[in-house]
Amino acid sequence: MNEHLLIEAVSPAVDGGRYPAKCIAGETVTLSADIFRDGHEVIRAQVRWRRADGPSDAWEINSLSPQGNDRWAANIVPEAPGDHLFAIDAWTDVFGTWLEDVGKKVAVGLEVSSELLQGLELVDVARQRTSNDSGALQALWDALNSALPEDALAMVQAPVVHTLMDRSVPHHDLRSSDNYRLIVDRPRARFGAWYEMFPRSQGRQTVRASTLREAANRLSDIRDMGFDVVYLPPVHPIGKTFRKGPNNSLHAGERDPGCPWAIGSLAGGHTAIDPELGTLDDFAAFVQAARDQKLEVAMDFAIQCSPDHPWVCEHPEWFCHLLDGTIKHAENSPKKYEDVYMVNFDTYDKASLWNALRDVLLFWIEYGVIIFRADNPHTKPFAFWEWVLGEIRAQHPEVIFLSEAFTRPKPMKALAKLGFTQSYTYFIWRTHAAEIRDYVNELAYSGMQHFFRPNFFTNTPDILPEILQTGGRPAFKLRAVLAATLSPTYGIYSGFELCENAAVPGKEEYSDSEKYEIRVRDWHAPGNIRHFMTKINRSVSRTPPCNTSKTLRFSFLTMIRFWRTVNAAVTTS
Amino acid sequence: MNEHLLIEAVSPAVDGGRYPAKCIAGETVTLSADIFRDGHEVIRAQVRWRRADGPSDAWEINSLSPQGNDRWAANIVPEAPGDHLFAIDAWTDVFGTWLEDVGKKVAVGLEVSSELLQGLELVDVARQRTSNDSGALQALWDALNSALPEDALAMVQAPVVHTLMDRSVPHHDLRSSDNYRLIVDRPRARFGAWYEMFPRSQGRQTVRASTLREAANRLSDIRDMGFDVVYLPPVHPIGKTFRKGPNNSLHAGERDPGCPWAIGSLAGGHTAIDPELGTLDDFAAFVQAARDQKLEVAMDFAIQCSPDHPWVCEHPEWFCHLLDGTIKHAENSPKKYEDVYMVNFDTYDKASLWNALRDVLLFWIEYGVIIFRADNPHTKPFAFWEWVLGEIRAQHPEVIFLSEAFTRPKPMKALAKLGFTQSYTYFIWRTHAAEIRDYVNELAYSGMQHFFRPNFFTNTPDILPEILQTGGRPAFKLRAVLAATLSPTYGIYSGFELCENAAVPGKEEYSDSEKYEIRVRDWHAPGNIRHFMTKINRSVSRTPPCNTSKTLRFSFLTMIRFWRTVNAAVTTS
């Protein structure tokens, strides 16, 4: 039993180890802790770490070094994505304590013959106990026994003897920490520029959706602007029943395409492609075309069903029924969403529902999608996310999940703790210098940096913030630089580069929102900031600090310099 | 199983609940946590709390109220000292959620007949489940069934129905936190003025020790100065072997009294009184005399033995033996303490040693001592302290332990976490405004306030800080005000009120230290600050803020005002 050593304040750890911390494969992670004991004895410490799915005794071991003030640290570099474990061991270095004691006495000229006898006793014990180093220790022992006291003292003080002694005797007073979890992600989990677009709006006419094959024609343009990820709202069949018309009206015309978040029709549900967009093969071709452009495709994972979704008939038990037998539509009182049913996560048939949802993700992973954006995750059970993200991570640790939880701070953070790779943030509403500074400092230094990776979107199909509505082109440029430089991951919703800012009066919503109708744009319209965006994306991805393990990309000072450089480059080109 | 609710950041908690937090009997403690769930449902929460030694189902329950930003809190007032437990429960308020939903719809004029049916269904279920409130719910149900829809709606919206419903159905989605520990101490644990004195130096001659009966004559003087606690260095028999002479010399003369920390002689060990000071009866009389003056006596608990201590013969196995069979004396290389043996806490006979040490404390508790000052606790096993403090607390929760751990920050804090009631601090070396401000802020706001109670000593027999050596009378007054106003508990070592400042050149030690010889003082010598100390102690103990649950007594501004008031009072009196 260990009576002496304490290991405290292990880092990185989230809520004392209840949740995993996050890091990036191939990058250095510093593991540290407060380690100390009573008394004046010398201690040693190490960190053990391994893949969570590996053999339980296959630990890699790094020595911890004292950093001052009883803090100890070691750097490790996990090689590949996947859940990892680490633990800290500390023990009393009996031989080291003896060495230090003798050294102090010798330094002030004290007689140490009694101490020398103790040291030889320690070597004797080690000699008898070791199996690996028995030859070396026996030779040492023989030499010590036949040496003069002064020579024996010099001999045992040689560093190699300390090393030999440390590994030859069991660790004295050994204390081990609990195991701590570490999610190791691929670099894209932290760093990237996202571009959100509706594939149906990438053509030249509003009377029909552009297909995925047509939308693929825009990929080179997006890549040329320097983006890394193309994020698509749901591409599944859209329900007919209670379909919404333009501007969220309750009555859709015959040709109105509906809202992509009202998922499911006779053509299929979450594992089908909207026939207007094409087929599963067309989708596979789109993913491949993106890959050819070095772009990744992010899909929407929106757990909700139109009344026409196949699940409504196949699994009525997955939905909430009213007393009159009808299924309850989604609502956020007093708002009603007649075109959408929420699934009932608490259904008695929970296992089959949860498995089906996991299988939706696995289905698209088979199609090469390894980034998902979860729609409104804060309205689904926390336990579901912890489970499903763990299930996917265990099989596909390369998969990235972005949490779209525009909700209160605590649930927003909780979803990140439960396993989301990255999160939408409040950046979209932080416009003044002081509030931006406070917010970025919180993200980078409050402890959040160990589990919460921000994705700074400037706008979304749901949110056209006031600063963009009123600030004109300078505001778009300002917000782009802030997003791209303050967070390692950021994104825009297409139209941003055209400085689109027509809002529903008095609201943060786009007028004639693309959510309910097909849009056609001239991507080279006058006044666009495409060139500016390109410069930002290319500069940021070339700039070294962005690829460090810091959440905060740049200091404000660096950002101002960066802003000047980009502006100068654009102006002179 | 709970899929929805999370309880995080419970407060007060030390290292996430690994160690107990501390509070004071009769004072309000705010218990709080982040509590939230996914979705928009209404939640409720409560705290359960009880004495740790009480029946495991005898919880008192307080409702938690939302404080904004998902923080919930409740105030409790533990009545008596003793270890307590608390836990937090949270659940989904199904009926409250329904009420809120209906309320929002009614507010915007929506039709709610379907919702009303759901509400009645909830009442029906409660009516069938409850046992306590079956009469009331049956009556409600009958009334609802025969009422018009509008009347039924008004009826179920009555607050009393919500209360009835909440207690009639099992808590939905119930989540309970772990149990958290709370040490409840008596008020003296946090607030008090200490006076340290050597009883043998309270007489009028240096050739012999003053006895405890003579020393008792000084108690009224100490009480008149406004102190609450008289702390005595060890009062046990002092060893003869290797006894130290004046100024820590290796050779004591025949009449030299020796150092009180070299405990034990033929006259006895830790449960005996130095014959020079008197008998156990004399000690009991001293404690009673102090009690008559409303003073408490604090004893020294110094776990070390002179070579003459009875334990050395009775229990040689409790000590560290060298290879030549002799017992190792204490040392802190290269310093040697020849007059003291340290006990070997790791002895194979540990149970008997640890029990004997606990029994020393119980022995003196029988003599009415309920405050102990532990000497150098950081050189004894952490596990010993956690055990022995817990043992004493379980039997005598009124006992206070002061940790004298002048060591590095982490071990100093660890001892407080492990159960010490209060701690010596670095205050003695904090002299500049900025460093005092930083240190006091750390003590009061860093989380330390939940487990670490500072005792700001201005000086000790071991430490005469530079500011007192060089600053003269103004420095003594300054340090007294800082100590007394910045920490709820503070202390002086006698002689401070006489502004004694003769030091060993170049060291922080007193010259002719009272540790090795008997001193005689004129307690009314010119230049004393007795009147000033009296004013401070009386003002502080009368001033309301000192008795709040804050670690920090005063803000700096209040302190400056206080300083002016005391100075003015002293000058004009």
Side-chain angles (χ1 to χ4, degrees):
Chain A
M1 184 197 160
N2 173 350
E3 312 276 342
H4 299 285
L5 282 132
L6 289 176
I7 301 173
E8 298 185 341
V10 174
S11 173
V14 180
D15 289 7
R18 159 73 182 87
Y19 300 105
K22 299 191 176 95
C23 63
I24 298 293
E27 293 188 5
T28 299
V29 193
T30 300
L31 308 179
S32 59
D34 292 340
I35 307 174
F36 53 96
R37 59 158 289 163
D38 51 69
H40 304 108
E41 283 79 357
V42 175
I43 62 172
R44 287 197 172 205
Q46 67 186 17
V47 60
R48 279 178 286 124
W49 58 289
R50 65 172 175 85
R51 290 188 66 92
D53 56 7
S56 66
D57 59 349
W59 297 103
E60 292 195 56
I61 289 176
N62 295 42
S63 288
L64 288 163
S65 310
Q67 311 291 303
N69 196 20
D70 293 313
R71 193 82 188 157
W72 293 65
N75 289 333
I76 67 166
V77 183
E79 281 174 23
D83 285 16
H84 284 62
L85 297 173
F86 73 93
I88 286 171
D89 303 320
W91 62 93
T92 302
D93 181 358
V94 176
F95 190 73
T97 302
W98 175 84
L99 276 177
E100 189 175 278
D101 181 56
V102 167
K104 282 179 182 168
K105 284 177 179 155
V106 168
V108 296
L110 287 177
E111 201 273 331
V112 294
S113 62
S114 164
E115 283 76 8
L116 183 56
L117 285 175
Q118 286 171 10
L120 296 186
E121 171 88 1
L122 292 175
V123 175
D124 192 27
V125 170
R127 174 180 69 101
Q128 292 168 39
R129 286 210 180 170
T130 187
S131 48
N132 295 334
D133 295 311
S134 58
L137 278 168
Q138 183 64 53
L140 174 68
W141 177 240
D142 292 342
L144 289 172
N145 259 344
S146 56
L148 291 172
E150 306 80 55
D151 297 339
L153 186 61
M155 232 180 276
V156 291
Q157 285 181 311
V160 62
V161 174
H162 195 176
T163 307
L164 207 56
M165 289 292 291
D166 188 58
R167 71 184 186 212
S168 301
V169 289
H171 291 158
H172 197 74
D173 299 325
L174 179 66
R175 162 85 73 178
S176 295
S177 75
D178 292 335
N179 287 347
Y180 288 78
R181 292 188 293 156
L182 200 55
I183 296 178
V184 180
D185 288 309
R186 62 195 176 98
R188 182 65 67 229
R190 197 191 56 240
F191 180 77
W194 290 45
Y195 186 87
E196 174 175 5
M197 70 169 197
F198 287 72
R200 70 187 184 188
S201 290
Q202 305 308 312
R204 304 220 162 254
Q205 46 186 325
T206 58
V207 291
R208 73 158 179 87
S210 52
T211 65
L212 284 165
R213 297 220 177 242
E214 289 166 325
N217 293 331
R218 271 216 73 216
L219 292 170
S220 61
D221 183 38
I222 294 165
R223 180 67 224 179
D224 286 348
M225 280 193 282
F227 289 97
D228 306 295
V229 176
V230 177
Y231 153 51
L232 309 179
V235 290
H236 314 301
I238 299 171
K240 279 277 186 188
T241 306
F242 296 118
R243 175 176 284 192
K244 296 293 182 82
N247 285 304
N248 201 17
S249 69
L250 283 176
H251 304 288
E254 192 50 43
R255 314 197 84 148
D256 285 330
C259 174
W261 282 273
I263 295 169
S265 76
L266 288 176
H270 280 77
T271 52
I273 293 290
D274 183 0
E276 306 282 314
L277 294 175
T279 63
L280 283 168
D281 284 345
D282 294 335
F283 181 77
F286 183 88
V287 172
Q288 185 56 51
R291 197 176 287 142
D292 293 343
Q293 298 286 346
K294 295 197 166 57
L295 280 169
E296 291 193 47
V297 174
M299 276 187 97
D300 207 304
F301 185 45
I303 307 175
Q304 52 195 34
C305 300
S306 102
D308 308 325
H309 195 293
W311 286 350
V312 174
C313 288
E314 294 165 12
H315 294 285
E317 71 279 9
W318 289 356
F319 298 87
C320 283
H321 293 261
L322 296 175
L323 291 175
D324 63 5
T326 60
I327 295 178
K328 195 181 170 190
H329 56 69
E331 58 177 32
N332 184 3
S333 285
K335 282 193 207 167
K336 298 186 173 200
Y337 304 97
E338 295 84 352
D339 58 340
V340 173
Y341 293 161
M342 303 305 294
V343 303
N344 175 14
F345 281 90
D346 298 327
T347 171
Y348 65 88
D349 193 23
K350 195 161 59 181
S352 73
L353 170 64
W354 289 29
N355 284 333
L357 291 169
R358 177 200 57 202
D359 293 345
V360 166
L361 295 166
L362 292 173
F363 179 90
W364 294 112
I365 291 168
E366 285 301 306
Y367 274 86
V369 176
I370 48 175
I371 306 184
F372 295 91
R373 174 267 202 195
D375 185 76
N376 271 332
H378 55 294
T379 60
K380 286 88 189 172
F382 289 135
F384 168 74
W385 291 116
E386 188 164 29
W387 173 80
V388 78
L389 298 176
E391 286 274 303
I392 299 299
R393 223 163 48 234
Q395 296 181 50
H396 300 284
E398 71 281 9
V399 175
I400 290 167
F401 283 93
L402 167 62
S403 157
E404 189 237 15
F406 286 117
T407 180
R408 308 182 311 282
K410 306 293 167 61
M412 180 188 272
K413 290 181 197 176
L415 288 161
K417 293 178 187 175
L418 293 167
F420 274 97
T421 324
Q422 346 179 306
S423 307
Y424 282 72
T425 69
Y426 304 125
F427 166 73
I428 207 161
W429 298 291
R430 297 288 177 274
T431 49
H432 295 287
E435 65 189 11
I436 292 174
R437 205 156 30 219
D438 285 352
Y439 188 50
V440 173
N441 275 325
E442 185 192 356
L443 292 171
Y445 302 118
S446 69
M448 283 177 76
Q449 70 272 25
H450 296 311
F451 64 90
F452 186 98
R453 295 202 191 92
N455 190 332
F456 274 11
F457 263 85
T458 55
N459 61 328
T460 79
D462 290 314
I463 310 170
L464 175 62
E466 194 185 354
I467 186 168
L468 296 183
Q469 292 185 30
T470 58
R473 204 160 168 269
F476 280 81
K477 292 168 80 172
L478 172 70
R479 297 300 290 175
V481 168
L482 287 170
T485 54
L486 288 175
S487 168
T489 297
Y490 90 104
I492 64 168
Y493 154 53
S494 65
F496 180 92
E497 70 271 43
L498 303 180
C499 305
E500 289 180 354
N501 66 354
V504 176
K507 298 199 171 182
E508 284 191 327
E509 293 166 21
Y510 281 92
S511 66
D512 303 322
S513 169
E514 210 172 347
K515 287 167 68 179
Y516 310 105
E517 54 195 283
I518 293 163
R519 294 278 293 279
V520 163
R521 295 179 178 93
D522 172 5
W523 297 107
H524 295 271
N528 75 68
I529 56 168
R530 294 164 51 91
H531 194 46
F532 189 78
M533 294 306 301
T534 310
K535 281 282 171 191
I536 288 176
N537 286 335
R538 296 218 172 133
S539 307
V540 169
S541 58
R542 279 201 308 266
T543 310
C546 61
N547 215 17
T548 68
S549 35
K550 297 208 169 41
T551 296
L552 188 66
R553 272 176 161 178
F554 294 141
S555 71
F556 266 76
L557 195 64
T558 317
M559 210 184 64
I560 288 163
R561 288 196 200 111
F562 174 82
W563 164 268
R564 285 187 188 139
T565 313
V566 171
N567 240 336
V570 173
T571 313
T572 58
S573 67
Chain B
M1 183 195 160
N2 175 351
E3 311 275 341
H4 299 286
L5 281 132
L6 289 175
I7 301 173
E8 298 185 340
V10 173
S11 174
V14 180
D15 288 9
R18 158 74 182 85
Y19 300 105
K22 299 190 177 94
C23 63
I24 299 293
E27 293 187 7
T28 298
V29 193
T30 300
L31 307 178
S32 59
D34 291 340
I35 307 175
F36 52 97
R37 57 157 290 162
D38 51 69
H40 303 109
E41 283 80 356
V42 175
I43 62 172
R44 289 196 171 204
Q46 68 185 17
V47 59
R48 278 178 288 125
W49 57 291
R50 65 173 174 85
R51 289 188 68 91
D53 56 6
S56 66
D57 58 349
W59 296 103
E60 291 195 56
I61 289 176
N62 295 42
S63 287
L64 288 162
S65 311
Q67 312 290 304
N69 197 19
D70 292 314
R71 193 81 188 157
W72 294 64
N75 289 332
I76 67 167
V77 184
E79 281 174 22
D83 284 16
H84 284 63
L85 298 173
F86 72 92
I88 284 169
D89 302 320
W91 61 94
T92 302
D93 180 358
V94 176
F95 189 74
T97 302
W98 176 84
L99 276 178
E100 188 174 279
D101 182 56
V102 167
K104 282 179 181 167
K105 284 177 178 156
V106 168
V108 296
L110 287 177
E111 201 274 328
V112 294
S113 60
S114 164
E115 285 75 8
L116 184 56
L117 284 176
Q118 287 171 10
L120 296 187
E121 171 88 2
L122 292 175
V123 175
D124 192 26
V125 169
R127 174 181 67 101
Q128 291 168 39
R129 286 207 180 173
T130 186
S131 49
N132 295 334
D133 294 310
S134 58
L137 279 168
Q138 184 63 53
L140 173 68
W141 177 242
D142 293 340
L144 289 171
N145 259 345
S146 55
L148 291 172
E150 306 81 57
D151 296 340
L153 186 60
M155 232 179 275
V156 291
Q157 285 182 312
V160 63
V161 174
H162 195 176
T163 307
L164 208 55
M165 289 292 292
D166 188 59
R167 71 184 187 210
S168 301
V169 290
H171 291 159
H172 198 73
D173 298 326
L174 179 66
R175 162 86 73 178
S176 294
S177 76
D178 292 335
N179 288 348
Y180 288 78
R181 290 188 294 156
L182 200 55
I183 295 178
V184 180
D185 287 310
R186 62 194 175 100
R188 181 66 66 228
R190 198 191 56 242
F191 180 77
W194 290 45
Y195 186 88
E196 174 174 4
M197 71 169 196
F198 286 72
R200 70 187 184 187
S201 290
Q202 305 309 312
R204 305 220 159 252
Q205 45 185 326
T206 57
V207 291
R208 72 159 180 89
S210 52
T211 64
L212 284 165
R213 297 223 176 236
E214 289 166 324
N217 292 330
R218 271 216 73 218
L219 292 170
S220 61
D221 183 39
I222 294 165
R223 180 67 224 180
D224 286 348
M225 281 192 282
F227 289 96
D228 305 295
V229 176
V230 178
Y231 153 51
L232 310 179
V235 290
H236 314 302
I238 298 170
K240 278 276 187 188
T241 307
F242 296 118
R243 174 175 286 192
K244 296 293 182 82
N247 285 305
N248 201 18
S249 68
L250 282 176
H251 303 290
E254 191 53 40
R255 313 197 85 148
D256 285 331
C259 174
W261 282 273
I263 295 170
S265 76
L266 289 176
H270 279 77
T271 52
I273 294 289
D274 183 0
E276 307 281 313
L277 294 174
T279 64
L280 282 169
D281 283 346
D282 294 335
F283 181 77
F286 183 88
V287 172
Q288 184 56 51
R291 197 175 288 141
D292 292 343
Q293 298 286 346
K294 296 197 165 57
L295 281 168
E296 289 193 47
V297 173
M299 275 188 98
D300 206 305
F301 185 46
I303 307 176
Q304 53 195 33
C305 299
S306 103
D308 307 326
H309 195 291
W311 287 349
V312 174
C313 288
E314 294 165 9
H315 296 283
E317 70 280 9
W318 289 355
F319 297 87
C320 284
H321 293 261
L322 296 175
L323 291 175
D324 61 6
T326 60
I327 295 178
K328 196 181 170 191
H329 56 69
E331 58 179 30
N332 184 4
S333 284
K335 281 192 207 167
K336 298 187 174 201
Y337 304 97
E338 296 84 353
D339 57 341
V340 173
Y341 293 162
M342 302 305 296
V343 303
N344 175 14
F345 281 91
D346 298 327
T347 171
Y348 65 87
D349 192 22
K350 194 162 59 181
S352 73
L353 170 62
W354 290 29
N355 284 333
L357 291 169
R358 176 201 55 201
D359 293 345
V360 166
L361 295 166
L362 292 173
F363 180 89
W364 294 113
I365 290 169
E366 285 300 307
Y367 274 85
V369 176
I370 48 175
I371 307 184
F372 294 92
R373 175 266 199 195
D375 186 75
N376 271 331
H378 55 292
T379 60
K380 286 90 192 172
F382 289 135
F384 168 73
W385 292 116
E386 188 165 29
W387 173 81
V388 78
L389 298 177
E391 287 274 305
I392 299 298
R393 224 165 45 237
Q395 295 181 50
H396 300 284
E398 70 281 10
V399 174
I400 290 167
F401 283 93
L402 166 62
S403 158
E404 189 237 17
F406 286 116
T407 180
R408 308 182 310 283
K410 305 293 167 62
M412 181 188 272
K413 290 180 197 177
L415 289 161
K417 292 178 187 174
L418 293 167
F420 273 98
T421 323
Q422 3 179 291
S423 307
Y424 281 71
T425 70
Y426 303 125
F427 166 73
I428 207 162
W429 298 290
R430 298 289 177 272
T431 49
H432 295 286
E435 64 188 13
I436 292 175
R437 204 154 31 221
D438 285 353
Y439 188 50
V440 172
N441 276 324
E442 185 193 357
L443 293 171
Y445 303 118
S446 69
M448 283 177 77
Q449 70 272 25
H450 295 311
F451 64 89
F452 186 98
R453 295 202 191 93
N455 189 333
F456 273 12
F457 263 84
T458 55
N459 62 326
T460 79
D462 290 314
I463 311 169
L464 174 63
E466 195 186 354
I467 186 168
L468 297 183
Q469 292 185 30
T470 60
R473 205 161 167 266
F476 280 81
K477 291 168 80 173
L478 172 70
R479 297 299 291 175
V481 168
L482 287 170
T485 53
L486 288 174
S487 167
T489 297
Y490 90 106
I492 65 168
Y493 154 53
S494 65
F496 181 92
E497 71 271 42
L498 305 179
C499 303
E500 289 180 355
N501 65 354
V504 176
K507 298 200 172 181
E508 284 191 325
E509 294 165 22
Y510 281 92
S511 67
D512 304 322
S513 169
E514 208 173 347
K515 286 167 69 178
Y516 310 105
E517 53 195 283
I518 292 163
R519 294 278 294 280
V520 165
R521 295 179 178 92
D522 172 5
W523 297 107
H524 295 271
N528 74 70
I529 56 167
R530 294 164 51 90
H531 195 46
F532 188 79
M533 294 306 301
T534 309
K535 281 283 170 191
I536 288 175
N537 287 334
R538 296 218 173 135
S539 307
V540 169
S541 57
R542 278 200 309 266
T543 311
C546 61
N547 215 16
T548 69
S549 34
K550 297 208 167 41
T551 296
L552 189 64
R553 271 177 164 179
F554 294 141
S555 72
F556 266 76
L557 197 62
T558 318
M559 208 184 66
I560 289 163
R561 286 195 201 112
F562 174 83
W563 164 269
R564 284 185 189 141
T565 311
V566 172
N567 240 335
V570 173
T571 312
T572 58
S573 66

